[in-house]
Amino acid sequence: MLLDKLFEYLGNGSAAILPKPGNNLANYVAGAILLALLGVFVDYGRMLWLRSKLVSYEIPNWIDCCKPTDLGKPPGPRPWPIVGNTFMLPDTKPWFWFEELSKKYDAQLITIWIGRNPTIWVCDAWAASDLFEKKAGIYSSRPRMIVFAELGAGQSNFLNMYTTTPAQRERWRAHRKLMHQGVGVQAVRRYRAFQNDESRVVAYDLLTRPGDYVKHFERYATSVVSIIGFGRRVESSQDPIITEVIAAMHVAADLNVPGKTFPMLMETFPALSRFPNAIAPWKHGLGRKRGRNFFYALAAEAGAQEGHEDSFVKQIFAQSEKQRLGVEEIASLTGNLFGAGSDTSSSTLITFILACCAFPETLEPAWEELDRVIGPYRSPAWEDEESLPYVKALVKEVFRWRSVAIIGGQPHAPTQDDYYKGWLIPKGSWIQGNVWAIHHNEREFPDPDRFNPKRFLADSPDSRPFPGERGYMTFGWGRRVCSGQALAEQGTWITIARILWGFRVEKTKRPDGTVVEVDINDYTNGLNWRPQPFTCSITPRSAEIGKTIRREGRQALEELEQYRGETKCEEQVCADRQIISSAGIPTGTSVRAYLIPQKRKRSNGDGATNDHEQRRKRSAASLESATEFDDAANKWRISDLEEQLAAKDAQLHRRIAEIDDLHDKQIKYQLQIQIRDENIAKQSSELKAMTAKNQLQAARIQQSDTTINQQAAELERRAAKHEQNEELQRSLLKQDILNELGQTIASALSTWSVADNNPGQQPNQSQSDFLTQDRQIKERLDKFWRQCRFLKEPDEE
Ligand code: HEM
C-alpha cells in the first residue's frame, strides 16, 4: 500500500517533484528514497509473512491430506522484494514453466509472485475440481484485474465481476441469467439451423478457397454469434466485426499473459494505470473504452431495427429497465459474445486442422465411420452425433490436446481465506487453472502430446479416470464456467464432423514431392492461443462429396439470406439516435466512428487533416500517440480499399456461384436424361424377356396337351382291351358252367336211371345215396343258375 501511495504520489503529482522556491531538492529526493526503501522493506516483510502462511501448519488432518515432504517445502520459488518472481518468468508461454515447477515441487498447486501479489496456479485436474467445482461457493469471484478489467473490458463486464458482497452477487446473477437466456444449453438448440448452415458455408468456402481456412473459421465463428446477438450474419472476412474484434482479442490475449514486462506489472502497481496514456507507454494504449462504445453502438443499431425479435440484443433491451442495465453493461453483454466467442471457437478449429496434418493416422477411423453412417450424398447432421462415437471422441481430443484458453481464461478469487491440503489460499488472491498442465498430465493422458482420440472412447485402454463427465476442463469451472460452452461444443462438433466427412486435410506437398512439415508446438503467446500460420492441403475426399458440399453450401446461403446485413459505415448513421445520445454518444455518430475515431474529421483524400496536424502539435511530446493516429488513418484508408476489394470479391463470388449453379443444372438435366434412357432400356429388355418366357410357356402347354391326348388314347385302348378280356373271361366262364351243367345233367340222368332200373335193391342204401346225389344235383343246379344270373347281361335278363 505504501508503495502504491509512493507511485501515486510520483504519478499524479509530477508537478510536486519540481523544485519550488525555498525547497531543498536534494532533501526531497533523499526523503523520497528513504520513504521508498522503508516501503520496500515493510512490503517485503509482508510478502515473506504471507509466503510462510502458504504452507500452513494449522491443518486439521494433515496426515491424510499431504505427503510429509510437502510440509515445509515452499510451493514456488522464493520471491524478491517488489518484483517477486516476475523476472524469473520465461519470455513467452509461462504455463510450461508453471507445469515444470509443479513437477519439481511435486505439488498440485504452486505460487508465483507477480510483483508483490501471489498468484496460485492449479496444475492438477483433481485439485482444480476440488477447489473450483466442489468449493464453487467460495471460488466463484474474480480478483482485481487492472489490465483485463479496469483498463480492458471493464469491471461491470460479466467476465470480470466480483461476487464478494451480496449486491455484487445479485448483479452477477442478473447477468448470468441474461447470458443463459441468450446462449444457455436450452437456448442454443434454437440456433442449430443457422449454425449448421454457417458450417455448410465453411465447407463450401474450403472447397473454393482452401488456403484461406483461417479466415473462413473466423468468419464462421463471428457470424454465428452475430446472428445470435444482432440477428444479422457476417458475410465477409473483411467485416469490421471480424477485423477489429479478433485483432483486439489477440492484443488483449497477449497483454494478459503473466510476463516480466508491462503492462502486467500494473497488476502489482495499480497506481501506474492512472497515468494518462500520452505519458504512459507501459499502458499500451489501454483504457480508451473505444470497444465498449463500438459494441454499444452496434447493439443500439441492431436493437432499433425491424425483425429478428428473438435476437439477444432485443432480449437485453427488453429487460434493460427491469434489470437496470447501464450502457456499459449492455455493451459488454453483447460484446462478450464476440470477445469471448469468436476468437476461441475459430482458434479451436485451426488447432483441429493442425492435428489433422500432424496425426493423419487418426483420420482413417473417422472416415470409415463417416462413410459407413453418412455416405457421400449428404453431410453429417445433428442427429448423427450418437452414431459417430469416434468423431465425438476426436472433437473432445481437439478440446484437450491444445485447449484454446490455455490458462483457463480469467483467474478466480476466493471470497474468504481457504486451505487446501495444508496450503493457505488467501481471500481475494489470484488463483488460476493451468489447463496446459492439467491436460498434459501423464497420469490422466498417457503420452499427452500425441493427438489420440481413443482416450475418449470408454472401452479403450488409453482412457483414464478424470473428474467430471466430459473428460476435459477446456471451458473452466464451477459457477464461472464458460457461458458459451454449449454453443461452442455443438458448433465445433458439427464443423469438425463436416470437415472430416468432406475433406482430406493433410500436409502440403512441394512440386518435388517432399512435404512441408508442421510444428505442433508453434503457437501464439496469448492466453487464448492458436497455431502460428501454417500451410496445409484441403481437398474434397471424392467428386461426389464435392458436389454435395456445393449443393448444400448454396442451399445454406439461400437459407441464411434472411440474416443478411452489414456493419454500418459512416454514411449509414445509427438509427436510434435517442439511445445513442442517452448513452453519451453524440447523435449522428456512426458505428464505424468508434473503430476509427478520426475518420469523420478527414478533410481531403491525401490523409493530411487539420485535426491530424493539430493533434501532432498538441502531442508533440507523445510520439506514440501520433504514430497511433497515423496508424488509425492508414488503417482507415486500407480498410476503404479492403471494403472495395471485398465488394468486388463478393460480386465475383456471386458470379461464380451463378455459373456453378448453371453448370450444376446442366449436369442435373444430363443426369436425368441418362437415368430416363437407362430406364427405357431396362424396361424394353424386361419386355423381351417376358415375351420369351411367354413363348416358352405356350410351347410347354402344347407339349403337355399332346401328352394328355396320348395318355387319353392309351387309356381308351386299355379300357377296350380290358373289356375284351372281361368278355373273354365271361365266355370262358360260360363254357365252364355249361360243361359243368352238362356233367351235372349227365350225372343226374345216370343217378336217376340207376334208381329206375334197380328198384328194391338195397333200397335203404340206394335210397339214401340217391337222395344225397339228388340233393347234390339240385345244389349244383342252383349254383349254376346263380352263376348264369351273374353272367347274364342286363339286356339278356
Ligand atoms: C471453444 C470455445 C470456447 C472456449 C474454449 C471458452 C473458454 C472459456 C473459459 C476457459 C472461460 C473462463 C471460465 C472460468 O473462469 O472458469 C470462459 C468464460 C466465458 N466464456 Fe467462453 N469459451 C469459448 C466460447 C465461448 C462462446 C462462444 C461464448 C459466448 C457466446 C463464451 C462466453 C463466455 C463468457 C460470457 C464467459 C465468462 C463467464 C463468467 O465469468 O462467469 N465463450 N470461456
Side-chain angles (χ1 to χ4, degrees), residues 502-760:
F503 297 94
R504 192 170 280 281
V505 181
E506 54 201 347
K507 290 176 198 165
T508 316
K509 278 203 178 98
R510 295 192 189 89
D512 63 1
T514 54
V515 291
V516 181
E517 289 302 334
V518 291
D519 182 352
I520 59 168
N521 294 315
D522 192 13
Y523 267 66
T524 58
N525 183 39
L527 91 166
N528 286 342
W529 69 349
R530 61 160 61 180
Q532 295 285 9
F534 63 96
T535 59
C536 67
S537 154
I538 304 177
T539 47
R541 284 177 58 226
S542 73
E544 200 55 62
I545 284 182
K547 268 191 214 165
T548 309
I549 293 174
R550 271 175 202 280
R551 192 190 67 236
E552 291 189 348
R554 278 198 291 272
Q555 193 188 336
L557 282 170
E558 270 170 32
E559 283 166 13
L560 288 168
E561 195 58 24
Q562 56 175 312
Y563 301 112
R564 197 160 196 174
E566 59 176 328
T567 303
K568 301 296 175 203
C569 294
E570 189 162 39
E571 46 287 350
Q572 290 157 303
V573 170
C574 222
D576 195 341
R577 291 164 190 236
Q578 248 181 344
I579 300 177
I580 296 286
S581 52
S582 70
I585 299 168
T587 48
T589 310
S590 79
V591 172
R592 184 59 177 241
Y594 293 100
L595 288 171
I596 312 298
Q598 273 71 38
K599 185 180 173 187
R600 292 181 68 80
K601 294 175 184 169
R602 216 167 59 126
S603 59
N604 54 38
D606 66 7
T609 65
N610 290 340
D611 184 62
H612 187 166
E613 288 308 317
Q614 277 169 13
R615 189 180 167 122
R616 262 186 198 289
K617 280 176 201 157
R618 269 206 316 272
S619 312
S622 169
L623 186 61
E624 185 173 326
S625 188
T627 319
E628 197 180 289
F629 176 74
D630 277 348
D631 281 352
N634 283 334
K635 207 169 174 185
W636 177 78
R637 271 197 296 276
I638 291 167
S639 138
D640 252 4
L641 289 174
E642 278 174 351
E643 261 171 32
Q644 286 170 20
L645 199 69
K648 290 273 174 226
D649 261 1
Q651 208 180 351
L652 195 70
H653 216 227
R654 271 199 293 278
R655 197 74 201 102
I656 292 172
E658 277 167 22
I659 292 168
D660 277 352
D661 226 19
L662 286 173
H663 185 65
D664 266 19
K665 267 189 193 148
Q666 194 186 347
I667 291 175
K668 200 169 117 192
Y669 290 143
Q670 275 173 355
L671 210 70
Q672 280 175 358
I673 291 168
Q674 202 181 327
I675 291 170
R676 279 184 198 166
D677 281 353
E678 277 171 9
N679 276 349
I680 291 168
K682 201 172 138 195
Q683 281 173 358
S684 68
S685 81
E686 272 174 10
L687 205 68
K688 264 188 207 163
M690 270 167 69
T691 320
K693 206 172 159 187
N694 284 349
Q695 279 170 353
L696 196 75
Q697 278 180 348
R700 275 195 195 142
I701 289 168
Q702 210 175 341
Q703 204 182 352
S704 68
D705 275 359
T706 323
T707 317
I708 289 167
N709 287 345
Q710 280 170 357
Q711 283 176 347
E714 175 68 15
L715 274 177
E716 256 173 53
R717 194 181 58 77
R718 282 189 191 173
K721 205 170 174 188
H722 184 68
E723 223 167 284
Q724 270 176 13
N725 285 348
E726 271 193 342
E727 189 59 35
L728 197 65
Q729 267 181 357
R730 248 196 311 269
S731 67
L732 285 175
L733 198 59
K734 267 182 194 167
Q735 195 61 46
D736 285 354
I737 293 167
L738 286 175
N739 287 348
E740 204 180 333
L741 180 63
Q743 283 173 14
T744 309
I745 293 171
S747 119
L749 288 176
S750 85
T751 306
W752 291 333
S753 70
V754 171
D756 287 349
N757 294 338
N758 300 306

Side-chain angles (χ1 to χ4, degrees), residues 193-380:
F194 64 73
Q195 201 173 16
N196 185 36
D197 278 339
E198 284 293 10
S199 143
R200 284 171 164 189
V201 175
V202 170
Y204 185 58
D205 287 344
L206 287 176
L207 197 70
T208 46
R209 283 170 294 132
D212 287 341
Y213 65 93
V214 172
K215 284 187 182 167
H216 302 326
F217 293 154
E218 286 176 346
R219 190 210 58 76
Y220 154 78
T222 318
S223 193
V224 169
V225 284
S226 177
I227 297 176
I228 295 172
F230 302 136
R232 78 150 188 90
R233 71 185 291 255
V234 172
E235 278 179 69
S236 146
S237 53
Q238 297 308 319
D239 192 303
I241 293 189
I242 298 188
T243 50
E244 295 298 321
V245 174
I246 295 213
M249 277 315 292
H250 285 183
V251 173
D254 275 353
L255 295 180
N256 281 286
V257 173
K260 32 178 128 159
T261 53
F262 283 108
M264 277 310 273
L265 277 181
M266 283 188 285
E267 300 293 351
T268 196
F269 305 118
L272 293 177
S273 66
R274 288 183 213 127
F275 282 68
N277 280 7
I279 57 161
W282 59 83
K283 285 177 73 180
H284 291 254
L286 289 167
R288 279 176 301 180
K289 298 194 177 184
R290 260 176 57 199
R292 275 173 264 177
N293 294 344
F294 169 61
F295 278 115
Y296 185 79
L298 274 181
E301 181 187 75
Q305 261 165 26
E306 300 270 305
H308 299 296
E309 298 307 318
D310 55 348
S311 70
F312 184 51
V313 76
K314 294 220 169 145
Q315 292 176 32
I316 288 182
F317 276 121
Q319 297 190 42
S320 60
E321 221 172 278
K322 184 177 159 209
Q323 301 288 1
R324 292 170 287 109
L325 295 174
V327 168
E328 283 205 3
E329 288 176 300
I330 291 174
S332 70
L333 278 163
T334 50
N336 280 350
L337 294 184
F338 297 90
S342 49
D343 180 41
T344 44
S345 304
S346 54
S347 299
T348 303
L349 293 173
I350 303 170
T351 282
F352 157 69
I353 296 290
L354 180 67
C356 290
C357 293
F359 300 90
E361 69 283 0
T362 59
L363 305 182
E364 297 287 344
W367 290 337
E368 185 281 318
E369 192 174 80
L370 287 158
D371 290 343
R372 183 164 37 80
V373 179
I374 310 290
Y377 302 105
R378 69 169 183 94
S379 62

